[in-house]
Amino acid sequence: MSSSDSILRKITTLLDNHHARYEIMSHDALGFTSDEVAQVRGVELGQCSKAVVLKVKGNGVKKNVLAVLPGDEKIDGEKLAGFFGGKKISFATAEQVKALTDCVPGGAGTLYL
């Protein structure tokens, strides 16, 4: 079993335990744009979510965070950094995302809630 199968199983088990309604859809890896993902899914951009791995730094803070937001929203870097006590944020590289999450950015799975 691949690590992505294991991650999906953990997520669906959590959703099942909370009686959430969802649908699983597979598609080719699309890259990084929410617009492309929404097009393939046949939904509005705001109906998609995007997960972004960020690095928060400054004021003695150095941490990685996962931000999940609607596909049509943008990250407020200053506000997010301040929430974690830092001064600035930067995007994690694809290699860093893989190392931290065992997921590939733009991966092939989709979970509808």
Side-chain angles (χ1 to χ4, degrees):
M1 174 182 310
S2 73
S3 61
S4 60
D5 290 338
S6 175
I7 293 166
L8 179 60
R9 188 169 4 98
K10 288 177 185 178
I11 292 169
T12 56
T13 297
L14 177 68
L15 294 171
D16 290 342
N17 288 342
H18 288 86
H19 309 288
R21 292 185 358 226
Y22 62 91
E23 175 185 344
I24 298 172
M25 175 183 156
S26 294
H27 55 75
D28 293 333
L30 298 173
F32 300 101
T33 69
S34 297
D35 291 323
E36 291 174 317
V37 174
Q39 256 186 334
V40 167
R41 294 177 185 167
V43 298
E44 296 295 320
L45 185 58
Q47 292 176 287
C48 297
S49 62
K50 56 186 169 188
V52 185
V53 179
L54 303 163
K55 302 173 88 48
V56 179
K57 296 179 183 175
N59 290 337
V61 174
K62 187 176 180 184
K63 63 174 59 182
N64 299 304
V65 299
L66 175 66
V68 181
L69 58 154
D72 60 350
E73 296 286 327
K74 299 212 181 294
I75 294 170
D76 182 335
E78 187 175 314
K79 188 174 184 179
L80 187 63
F83 178 81
F84 289 101
K87 286 188 172 188
K88 64 180 183 173
I89 63 165
S90 60
F91 292 95
T93 66
E95 294 79 20
Q96 290 167 331
V97 171
K98 175 72 173 145
L100 290 166
T101 67
D102 206 20
C103 294
V104 177
T110 300
L111 187 67
Y112 285 113
L113 297 176

